[in-house]
Amino acid sequence: MSNEAASAPPTVRARRLGLYTQHDPIVLMREDCHVCRSEGLAARAQVLLSAGGRDVLATLYQVGRDLLEQDEAGLSEAAWNLLEVEEGAAVSVRHAPPLASMSSVRRRVYGQRLDAPALAAIITDVAASRYTDVHLAAFLTACSALPLDVDETVALTRAMVDVGERLTWDAPAVVDKHSVGGLPGNRTTPIVVAIAAAHGLVMPKTSSRAITSPAGTADAMETLAPVDLDVKAMRRVVEQEGACLVWGGAVRLSPADDVLIRVERVLDVDTEGQLIASVLSKKIAAGATHVVLDIPVGPTAKVRSDDAGVDLGARLTEVADVFGITLRCMLTDGAQPVGRGIGPALEAWDVLAVLQGHADAPADLRRRACILAGAALELGGVAPTPQGVSLAEETLADGRAWAKFQRICEAQGGLRTPPRASLVRAITATRSGRIVQINNRTVARLAKLAGAPDDKAAGVELHVRLGDEVAKGQPLLSVHAEAPGELAYALDYAAANPEMFDLEA
Amino acid sequence: MSNEAASAPPTVRARRLGLYTQHDPIVLMREDCHVCRSEGLAARAQVLLSAGGRDVLATLYQVGRDLLEQDEAGLSEAAWNLLEVEEGAAVSVRHAPPLASMSSVRRRVYGQRLDAPALAAIITDVAASRYTDVHLAAFLTACSALPLDVDETVALTRAMVDVGERLTWDAPAVVDKHSVGGLPGNRTTPIVVAIAAAHGLVMPKTSSRAITSPAGTADAMETLAPVDLDVKAMRRVVEQEGACLVWGGAVRLSPADDVLIRVERVLDVDTEGQLIASVLSKKIAAGATHVVLDIPVGPTAKVRSDDAGVDLGARLTEVADVFGITLRCMLTDGAQPVGRGIGPALEAWDVLAVLQGHADAPADLRRRACILAGAALELGGVAPTPQGVSLAEETLADGRAWAKFQRICEAQGGLRTPPRASLVRAITATRSGRIVQINNRTVARLAKLAGAPDDKAAGVELHVRLGDEVAKGQPLLSVHAEAPGELAYALDYAAANPEMFDLEA
């Protein structure tokens, strides 16, 4: 065999395994496969799969004789979708090339700051899925141990924008809205968009699905209308209605953020610089010019004190200025969940109640939405400051927001009725008293154990709020579930975590 | 279903998949499996597998209908071996419990130092395989961004000893030897052990296999004798011969180190505190009282300057003192590979040549081994300082070391003849000149591409050393391989990396 043979590595036949690994590209090959032998590939090697001009980095695991033929490469769904091959297509497999940008990560670990080209190289590799979890965790940890300064945050934000799609809109002002998160049931976005769009503001809203929470805005909206629109369909909706409420995943805005955020959630480190780059890169990529930012503050929210909220807002504004974005940061009450429902459909029912002006609609959700929509109306030049909130309330009261919301849903493919869970079980107070604390994190976990967000109807329905006096035996919340096992598991968790509600005698 | 059902999670049937993932415990389950549904388990969840009183943490991947029955859990070899179940045994699967020690890692990320209990909790979880790669990378990065201080290094070392086996020997002095590494072919250990044991010193040597290098001492020794001994067999050999040369993997000394080092190698961050804890924890666990430490210094070695070597030595000594270990640090020449062979069998041939006193045995390997063995003889009280080296040379010259080595090999199961590769191809100088630099890293990579350490006979045989004058067309090295594809791949790499040798006209 000549040296040329090494330049054109031998191939194996692609096989789709139906292996679901979330985002992980994985390839299975036989231990005695000729490519593993000739390339010297061992289990857990990072390999480069190539076919039809596409390259995909994957983790190799090896199997014995039962699962695959000797010349087959079994691909996980993530690898299969990235490689875009046909069953049986020839795929070459070789050692992954060295990751040059990791030398910058190592420099950052050892305390040196990174310039824009270094961060751009890292983010390019991140977006191309060249970083394993180990590399990603090292980068994020290094950026937490020595927090990103303003220059690094600006460079990181720009790098994250540059590796993805960037939308442009034919409008002088493009309004967007974001919540820093951590507050279950805080589903103001559909209401804010409906109010803003009812006044002719352009608001092409993309939202995320839940990663570790019981519901993202896209999950809740999906129970009301299709959200899985591509850029073309999204443009059509915005041109027609001035606004949309779609899932951002199909649009590929700031794809590096999607990769980083997964690992951030596992580590549960969430530093200011990363947060700012994450939020602003998505907004810049979406073409926003004016952004309303909801920063809930509370003992179990992401931001724990007003001071921290003010600092975060100042830092966000400083970076947003560099990109010509006008930012309005709103510190809001993050002491307890918002509305009654926690879970995709339960939150959608709360949104509907507010939009339809029901007498028993959750007042806190309504109030928060009007504060944020008011800011959007003022930013967009529709209402003079400080009359935005009253205009927002009026727009809800007279049905214009509800009418607009229905038109947006119709344009996205049709308004839907959210599902109701088949199993509902109340959890009652074991003693009487006044509710002085509700733990956002425990409530969120309970809703997830009940099946949210995968089971759209699953979640938690809160029956009490801070300050309420409850009697022993009175229902505090109801668990909604679709599967008996999940219901039981959730009830078990609730029983084991009575500190979810703090009652004062 | 009552709440009790949640306490006793439903089970699935274990199936051995023959899936090789290195150390990764992985479980595959059907998406429509009742446990996945009732527990709300999604792809890539960390899950706790329980059977027969054993718990194993694993990563869940999901599959469609082809690969598994609905009630089966397919286990990777790592998961299978840890769980110790029979085919078809009932295994319960639930969400992994929260990882309490990660809160300490997060504190360390944010710049706070950790006390001994916090480090002990982390290392206990690491040794129990509770940390994913993301968690491990965060811990290591945090300990690099803010380097471990002496107190932390001592606490980490002690924690790493405490989670594993600890050997004790009935001898006043137990000698050990370690090389900081990074130098291909630096296979002095078998020679040092043979010399020391020939003088009655107790030297129960455990060595590692290669992780990212072309050969570990255990890989090279395995071509000369069985090394896969358990603690009982190891004790028998040491009681009989005063020394052994076995693989440390079966003995479980400092198991947390084995986990951490994998991730360190991927990150290529190697900080002083981690290095010290890694080296000393293994020595303490092995029962050593006196340790000779080889610190090769060179431009492409792990330690790049004499100053760095002296600092590292001082720090190692400071920590070793706390544990009552007498340390002798030797800075050695790390400018080029040691001996001629790089790869398990090729290095073993070099060792044999030195032990058997061949006239053409590599002089540098012989010299290094005698320097280290001399220090061991002095530390162990056999020779007064500075007469250790000459006694070591004498012990080689008169055949006592070779006789002792053969007895040790026989006690371990029998002396073997290392294999020879079927394919050997020379790489020649493209021009004439004097060799002024040899890149340790490039040479090591070439040996690995040729198939080392998995193919025992594969690797690189160096024909030149620093300072040699070579003519155009003269062989610089030979690549030894067992597979034509690997040979071609290695030759291709050599052609693409001419800087492996720096020639001065």
Side-chain angles (χ1 to χ4, degrees):
Chain A
M1 192 175 279
S2 73
N3 289 10
E4 287 74 49
S7 319
T11 62
V12 282
R13 291 183 298 126
R15 180 165 151 197
R16 185 176 190 167
L17 286 179
L19 176 64
Y20 298 88
T21 60
Q22 220 187 60
H23 56 278
D24 277 349
I26 284 178
V27 56
L28 302 189
M29 290 167 74
R30 285 260 293 261
E31 277 198 296
D32 56 357
C33 157
H34 63 295
V35 174
C36 287
R37 295 184 60 85
S38 71
E39 299 289 300
L41 297 173
R44 223 165 175 262
Q46 287 295 303
V47 295
L48 186 72
L49 310 175
S50 306
R54 289 182 175 272
D55 287 338
V56 172
L57 280 152
T59 301
L60 170 70
Y61 292 133
Q62 291 180 313
V63 295
R65 280 148 202 276
D66 292 346
L67 295 177
L68 292 172
E69 299 295 319
Q70 198 178 359
D71 66 341
E72 282 184 332
L75 302 181
S76 72
E77 290 300 291
W80 182 266
N81 294 332
L82 287 167
L83 203 56
E84 294 184 17
V85 282
E86 303 281 309
E87 192 78 33
V91 175
S92 79
V93 185
R94 60 190 141 172
H95 283 285
L99 203 50
S101 68
M102 265 304 288
S103 65
S104 299
V105 173
R106 277 187 288 273
R107 279 193 292 129
R108 192 69 176 63
V109 170
Y110 295 129
Q112 293 174 52
R113 299 232 168 246
L114 298 183
D115 60 11
L119 284 164
I122 291 169
I123 292 302
T124 300
D125 283 340
V126 169
S129 301
R130 294 193 192 109
Y131 273 39
T132 66
D133 280 0
V134 166
H135 301 124
L136 292 167
F139 174 63
L140 290 168
T141 304
C143 295
S144 304
L146 173 71
L148 296 167
D149 64 19
V150 175
D151 288 346
E152 287 180 317
T153 306
V154 168
L156 179 64
T157 306
R158 182 167 285 129
M160 286 167 77
V161 171
D162 287 347
V163 293
E165 297 286 329
R166 186 162 179 179
L167 306 179
T168 53
W169 305 96
D170 187 18
V174 177
V175 182
D176 210 331
K177 176 256 157 195
H178 183 83
S179 174
V180 164
L183 205 53
N186 191 12
R187 207 52 60 216
T188 53
T189 298
I191 307 167
V192 173
V193 169
I195 295 172
H199 289 281
L201 289 180
V202 173
M203 197 160 178
K205 189 82 192 81
T206 63
S207 302
S208 55
R209 294 189 187 278
I211 298 178
T212 60
S213 72
T217 293
D219 299 309
M221 263 310 295
E222 196 167 36
T223 70
L224 292 162
V227 295
D228 210 343
L229 280 63
D230 60 18
V231 175
K232 201 176 145 195
M234 176 184 170
R235 282 203 174 278
R236 189 184 42 70
V237 174
V238 175
E239 274 160 24
Q240 186 181 319
E241 299 298 339
C244 65
L245 281 154
V246 302
W247 175 49
V251 188
R252 254 186 87 83
L253 305 176
S254 193
D257 186 52
D258 298 340
V259 177
L260 291 173
I261 217 161
R262 281 194 320 253
V263 175
E264 272 173 45
R265 301 284 168 104
V266 173
L267 286 178
D268 203 4
V269 295
D270 195 358
T271 54
E272 206 172 78
Q274 291 290 344
L275 175 79
I276 292 170
S278 169
V279 170
L280 292 183
S281 66
K282 294 258 184 205
K283 301 302 153 201
I284 296 163
T289 59
H290 295 76
V291 177
V292 178
L293 206 81
D294 174 19
I295 305 179
V297 179
T300 54
K302 188 176 275 182
V303 176
R304 305 287 173 102
S305 73
D306 280 349
D307 282 352
V310 168
D311 285 351
L312 176 61
R315 195 69 178 272
L316 271 157
T317 304
E318 188 178 2
V319 177
D321 278 350
V322 175
F323 294 95
I325 288 183
T326 305
L327 200 69
R328 176 91 65 97
C329 295
M330 320 282 290
L331 299 197
T332 59
D333 176 14
Q336 60 185 328
V338 179
R340 297 200 188 95
I342 295 149
L346 289 164
E347 295 178 22
W349 284 112
D350 280 354
V351 167
L352 282 179
V354 171
L355 284 169
Q356 295 174 347
H358 290 190
D360 66 345
D364 60 331
L365 177 64
R366 189 178 199 286
R367 180 75 194 153
R368 294 178 79 91
C370 285
I371 289 170
L372 298 170
L377 294 174
E378 290 168 11
L379 271 186
V382 172
T385 308
Q387 292 169 30
V389 176
S390 56
L391 181 59
E393 283 170 342
E394 200 180 288
T395 315
L396 271 180
D398 63 16
R400 276 181 291 170
W402 170 230
K404 186 53 155 180
F405 183 78
Q406 292 175 84
R407 284 198 301 274
I408 293 170
C409 289
E410 290 306 328
Q412 289 188 192
L415 184 68
R416 297 166 173 170
T417 302
R420 300 280 194 188
S422 53
L423 304 169
V424 180
R425 184 81 66 90
I427 289 172
T428 55
T430 51
R431 60 189 185 84
S432 61
R434 194 168 60 88
I435 304 220
V436 293
Q437 187 162 326
I438 303 179
N439 190 313
N440 290 317
R441 285 155 202 260
T442 319
V443 171
R445 177 115 178 89
L446 181 63
K448 286 171 64 183
L449 290 172
D454 288 345
D455 284 340
K456 296 280 182 196
V460 164
E461 183 187 359
L462 287 172
H463 301 304
V464 294
R465 300 198 54 74
L466 283 184
D468 286 2
E469 295 280 353
V470 297
K472 183 178 171 183
Q474 184 178 329
L476 299 171
L477 60 80
S478 296
V479 176
H480 292 234
E482 296 283 42
E486 283 173 312
L487 179 63
Y489 203 51
L491 293 174
D492 200 53
Y493 176 79
N497 290 276
E499 80 287 2
M500 195 161 6
F501 296 93
D502 201 352
L503 270 81
E504 207 171 69
Chain B
M1 193 175 279
S2 73
N3 288 11
E4 288 74 50
S7 317
T11 61
V12 282
R13 291 183 296 127
R15 180 165 150 197
R16 184 176 192 169
L17 286 179
L19 177 64
Y20 298 88
T21 61
Q22 219 186 58
H23 55 277
D24 277 349
I26 284 178
V27 57
L28 302 189
M29 290 168 75
R30 284 261 294 260
E31 274 198 299
D32 57 355
C33 157
H34 65 292
V35 174
C36 287
R37 295 184 60 86
S38 71
E39 298 289 299
L41 298 173
R44 224 166 175 264
Q46 287 294 305
V47 296
L48 186 72
L49 310 176
S50 306
R54 289 182 175 271
D55 287 338
V56 173
L57 280 152
T59 301
L60 171 70
Y61 292 133
Q62 290 179 314
V63 295
R65 283 150 199 274
D66 292 345
L67 295 177
L68 292 171
E69 298 296 319
Q70 198 177 0
D71 66 341
E72 282 182 333
L75 302 181
S76 71
E77 291 298 293
W80 183 267
N81 294 332
L82 288 167
L83 204 55
E84 294 183 17
V85 282
E86 302 279 309
E87 193 78 32
V91 174
S92 78
V93 185
R94 61 191 139 171
H95 283 284
L99 202 50
S101 68
M102 263 304 288
S103 66
S104 299
V105 173
R106 277 187 288 273
R107 280 193 292 127
R108 192 66 175 64
V109 170
Y110 295 129
Q112 293 174 53
R113 299 231 168 246
L114 298 183
D115 60 12
L119 283 164
I122 290 169
I123 292 302
T124 300
D125 283 340
V126 167
S129 300
R130 295 193 192 109
Y131 273 38
T132 67
D133 280 359
V134 166
H135 301 125
L136 292 167
F139 174 62
L140 290 169
T141 305
C143 295
S144 305
L146 174 70
L148 296 167
D149 63 19
V150 174
D151 287 347
E152 287 180 317
T153 306
V154 168
L156 180 64
T157 305
R158 183 167 284 130
M160 286 166 76
V161 172
D162 287 348
V163 293
E165 296 286 330
R166 186 163 179 176
L167 306 180
T168 52
W169 306 96
D170 187 18
V174 177
V175 183
D176 210 331
K177 178 257 158 196
H178 183 83
S179 174
V180 164
L183 205 52
N186 192 11
R187 206 54 59 215
T188 52
T189 298
I191 306 168
V192 173
V193 169
I195 294 171
H199 288 280
L201 289 181
V202 173
M203 196 159 179
K205 188 81 193 81
T206 65
S207 301
S208 55
R209 293 189 187 276
I211 299 177
T212 61
S213 71
T217 293
D219 300 309
M221 264 310 295
E222 198 167 35
T223 70
L224 291 162
V227 295
D228 210 345
L229 279 63
D230 60 18
V231 175
K232 198 175 148 200
M234 177 183 166
R235 281 202 175 278
R236 188 184 41 72
V237 174
V238 176
E239 276 160 23
Q240 187 180 319
E241 299 298 337
C244 66
L245 280 154
V246 303
W247 175 49
V251 187
R252 255 186 87 82
L253 305 176
S254 193
D257 185 53
D258 298 341
V259 177
L260 291 172
I261 217 161
R262 280 194 319 253
V263 175
E264 271 173 46
R265 302 284 168 105
V266 173
L267 286 178
D268 203 6
V269 295
D270 194 358
T271 55
E272 205 172 81
Q274 291 290 344
L275 175 80
I276 292 170
S278 168
V279 171
L280 292 183
S281 65
K282 294 260 183 201
K283 302 301 153 202
I284 297 162
T289 58
H290 295 75
V291 178
V292 178
L293 206 79
D294 173 19
I295 305 179
V297 179
T300 54
K302 188 176 272 182
V303 176
R304 305 288 174 100
S305 72
D306 281 349
D307 282 354
V310 169
D311 285 352
L312 176 60
R315 195 71 175 270
L316 271 156
T317 305
E318 188 177 1
V319 177
D321 279 349
V322 175
F323 294 96
I325 288 184
T326 306
L327 201 67
R328 175 93 64 99
C329 296
M330 321 284 288
L331 299 198
T332 58
D333 176 13
Q336 60 184 329
V338 179
R340 296 199 189 95
I342 296 151
L346 289 164
E347 295 177 22
W349 284 113
D350 281 353
V351 166
L352 283 181
V354 170
L355 284 169
Q356 295 174 345
H358 289 190
D360 67 344
D364 61 330
L365 176 64
R366 188 178 200 286
R367 179 77 194 153
R368 294 178 79 93
C370 286
I371 290 171
L372 299 170
L377 294 175
E378 289 166 10
L379 272 184
V382 173
T385 306
Q387 292 168 28
V389 177
S390 56
L391 180 58
E393 284 171 343
E394 198 180 292
T395 315
L396 270 181
D398 64 14
R400 276 182 291 170
W402 170 230
K404 186 56 162 177
F405 183 79
Q406 292 175 83
R407 283 198 300 273
I408 293 170
C409 289
E410 290 305 329
Q412 290 188 193
L415 183 67
R416 296 167 174 170
T417 302
R420 301 278 193 187
S422 53
L423 304 169
V424 180
R425 183 83 64 92
I427 289 172
T428 55
T430 52
R431 59 189 184 84
S432 61
R434 196 167 61 89
I435 305 219
V436 293
Q437 189 163 327
I438 301 178
N439 191 312
N440 290 317
R441 284 154 203 260
T442 320
V443 171
R445 178 114 176 89
L446 180 64
K448 286 171 63 185
L449 289 172
D454 288 344
D455 285 339
K456 296 281 181 196
V460 164
E461 182 188 359
L462 287 172
H463 301 305
V464 293
R465 300 198 53 74
L466 283 183
D468 285 3
E469 295 280 352
V470 297
K472 184 178 170 184
Q474 184 177 332
L476 298 172
L477 60 79
S478 294
V479 176
H480 291 232
E482 296 283 40
E486 283 174 311
L487 178 64
Y489 203 51
L491 293 175
D492 201 50
Y493 176 80
N497 290 276
E499 81 286 3
M500 195 164 0
F501 296 93
D502 202 352
L503 270 79
E504 207 171 69

